[in-house]
Amino acid sequence: MKEELKYKSSIGVIGAGIQGVCISLNLIKKGFKVTLLDRDEPAKQSASYGNAGHFSPYASVPMNRPDILVDAPSMLLSSTGPISLRWSYVPKMIPWFLKFVKNCSKKNMMHTAKYMHQILDLALPSYDELFQEIDVSGLVESKGIIYFWTKKDLKSRELEMSIRRELGVKQQLLTPHEIHDLEPHIKKIYHGGVLYPGARHTTNPGKILLKLYDLFLKKGGCFKRENVETINFLSDNKPIIKTNLNSYTFAKAVVACGAFSKKLTDQLDEKIPLDTERGYHIHFKDHDHLLSRPVIFLNRGFGITPMEQGLRVVGTVEFGGLGAPASKKRILNLVNNAKYLFPELTKHYDEWLGFRPTLPDYLPVIGPSKNYKNLFYSFGHHHLGWTLGAISGKIVSNMIAGENTNLDLSAYNSTRFS
Ligand SMILES: Cc1cc2nc3c(=O)[nH]c(=O)nc-3n(C[C@H](O)[C@H](O)[C@H](O)COP(=O)(O)OP(=O)(O)OC[C@H]3O[C@@H](n4cnc5c(N)ncnc54)[C@H](O)[C@@H]3O)c2cc1C
């Protein structure tokens, strides 16, 4: 059969993180010919490989909250705290910070919460559809996720919980006694907590990503390990993607390069204020008995997830851009925090730095480019990009196919920054 008859049009997807792979898989299922491009092998280094593995459909309350402006200075000054700055990067990030502060009003916070909730609510059913076609046994657990805190942190928790109540998110307040019953090995430093019973976690995000990628290949998808350098357009608006090795022309293309997407959108005069919140992980092997589900200690902004590699300790929001090397100080901070909760932990392994792609209003960009109708975006999912992989893939593939999503997608459009 001639290629044109066998397939709908050909689509190029840039970035083989969870966004790019889910988009590619959904497109190929709709009959498109898909070429996925990434400068690395999938699931080697990306945020989609090293994250905390939470599927967090409850997490609609954003970081852009009025109270964060009051809390941020003490968080920054605390040596055990969740946020840090690379001072040399601060001048570059000032425009982002100013936009972030503007978005910390109650009205803007509620706008973000509403539109995050719209897609978070569909996140798990969308994964379930994809998981019907791969074997995830032993890789996905449904034990909920526990957040806990000390007295110092109570006020902002009340705000979060009341918004979630309004949105109808399932949450179960926990007394210290109940936390101890659920996770008896954690040192009893907490004064309260909450269980999100609808949350799940994966014991190996990289493995799930690879299984979805393999399914894409099995269905006839094509992968090119090449670095995308530029995107240009023919007179009929077809995108031409130039890599370090080749040049490709597609009917349509998608940018899904996570925190690195701005390098491409800047060339297209889009002015999308994407930046990164750097985060880290380390592993402690042979301590699996200490924890049965993911936990997050809110005062110190880090979490621990039981994974195939051991206990994965994950956290830190470090504002420092894409270029700077990993910070030994932030790694040490994670080690000390983990040992604070579990004094029996000994040597750690695997120091990893990853890049959360974050916009100052804490909504992702999902949709067509402002200037080019055959170019689509899916990036900026910040702390929730793993959770939102399957649903974003569905939305973008529907848009490309010209199918209705029955969702109000205006809040995710890149034109909101114009
Ligand atoms: C420490 C940490 C913990 C996290 N925990 C969670 C969690 O528990 N739950 C959750 O939902 N989310 C979590 N996240 C967020 C989540 O991991 C990210 O939002 C998500 O993985 C982003 O996926 P992505 O596909 O957009 O980008 P990525 O996974 O970063 O993939 C982008 C891909 O694009 C490729 N690329 C970039 N530029 C180019 C180019 N020019 N040419 C070719 N290829 C290119 C890269 O090589 C990469 O493979 C966490 C993030 C971090 C850092």
Side-chain angles (χ1 to χ4, degrees), residues 46-304:
S46 62
S48 302
Y49 147 81
N51 59 66
H54 304 174
F55 296 99
S56 312
Y58 58 86
S60 38
V61 184
M63 298 278 273
N64 53 304
R65 310 184 328 216
D67 58 330
I68 205 134
L69 299 177
V70 181
D71 294 343
S74 61
M75 286 181 186
L76 276 169
L77 290 173
S78 161
S79 61
T80 55
I83 308 182
S84 77
L85 283 176
R86 279 191 175 250
W87 291 103
S88 57
Y89 192 71
V90 170
K92 288 201 187 111
M93 230 183 144
I94 285 174
W96 188 99
F97 283 129
L98 293 176
K99 288 189 178 71
F100 171 73
V101 170
K102 216 172 131 198
N103 275 292
C104 286
S105 65
K106 175 131 197 260
K107 186 172 158 237
N108 289 357
M109 170 187 74
M110 288 310 293
H111 171 82
T112 299
K114 177 181 165 191
Y115 285 98
M116 285 307 285
H117 182 65
Q118 174 177 243
I119 45 179
L120 283 168
D121 212 29
L122 300 168
L124 297 191
S126 306
Y127 265 115
D128 286 342
E129 282 174 33
L130 294 183
F131 289 169
Q132 279 175 12
E133 293 190 72
I134 58 172
D135 179 11
V136 292
S137 43
L139 284 174
V140 179
E141 302 273 1
S142 302
K143 297 176 178 171
I145 296 177
I146 296 178
Y147 286 53
F148 56 82
W149 50 78
T150 64
K151 277 196 184 102
K152 248 173 71 188
D153 204 34
L154 261 180
K155 206 171 125 253
S156 46
R157 301 290 69 83
E158 281 161 8
L159 171 75
E160 274 184 25
M161 285 186 297
S162 72
I163 297 173
R164 289 196 176 114
R165 220 171 289 130
E166 240 174 78
L167 293 168
V169 172
K170 271 195 203 148
Q171 52 187 345
Q172 186 184 327
L173 272 180
L174 299 174
T175 62
H177 193 78
E178 287 166 331
I179 298 172
H180 181 72
D181 280 351
L182 287 166
E183 296 296 343
H185 299 286
I186 302 174
K187 194 160 114 191
K188 291 192 208 163
I189 44 83
Y190 40 75
H191 295 114
V194 62
L195 171 73
Y196 295 104
R200 300 179 193 163
H201 75 277
T202 173
T203 53
N204 193 334
K207 221 181 226 181
I208 290 196
L209 182 60
L210 276 183
K211 283 184 179 245
L212 293 170
Y213 166 73
D214 286 342
L215 180 63
F216 162 73
L217 295 182
K218 222 166 87 191
K219 287 185 182 288
C222 168
F223 176 72
K224 302 278 179 196
R225 186 173 171 187
E226 296 173 28
N227 182 46
V228 173
E229 291 171 348
T230 59
I231 305 175
N232 286 296
F233 294 86
L234 293 171
S235 55
D236 62 358
N237 286 318
K238 280 192 179 146
I240 312 165
I241 292 179
K242 190 178 161 299
T243 72
N244 54 325
L245 299 176
N246 288 300
S247 185
Y248 302 94
T249 303
F250 297 106
K252 292 177 184 176
V254 184
V255 176
C257 296
F260 299 87
S261 302
K262 189 168 163 34
K263 293 195 172 163
L264 295 174
T265 58
D266 274 0
Q267 296 173 11
L268 304 169
D269 205 19
E270 280 276 24
K271 301 201 171 47
I272 301 172
L274 179 71
D275 214 298
T276 185
E277 293 174 79
R278 295 151 59 99
Y280 294 82
H281 86 214
I282 51 173
H283 292 133
F284 287 93
K285 292 182 181 156
D286 306 321
H287 290 92
D288 301 353
H289 63 287
L290 292 179
L291 201 63
S292 63
R293 58 171 64 71
V295 293
I296 292 185
F297 181 25
L298 273 166
N299 301 66
R300 296 195 179 186
F302 81 102
I304 309 183

Side-chain angles (χ1 to χ4, degrees), residues 14-20 37-43 46-56 209 226-229 256-261 264 277-281 314-316 352-357 378-388:
I14 314 168
I18 193 66
Q19 296 298 322
L37 301 111
D38 198 302
R39 59 189 179 199
D40 284 331
E41 285 301 322
S46 62
S48 302
Y49 147 81
N51 59 66
H54 304 174
F55 296 99
S56 312
L209 182 60
E226 296 173 28
N227 182 46
V228 173
E229 291 171 348
C257 296
F260 299 87
S261 302
L264 295 174
E277 293 174 79
R278 295 151 59 99
Y280 294 82
H281 86 214
V314 192
T316 287
W352 173 85
L353 162 66
F355 302 95
R356 301 181 191 91
S378 186
F379 55 76
H381 299 73
H382 54 87
H383 297 240
L384 293 164
W386 175 255
T387 306
L388 292 170

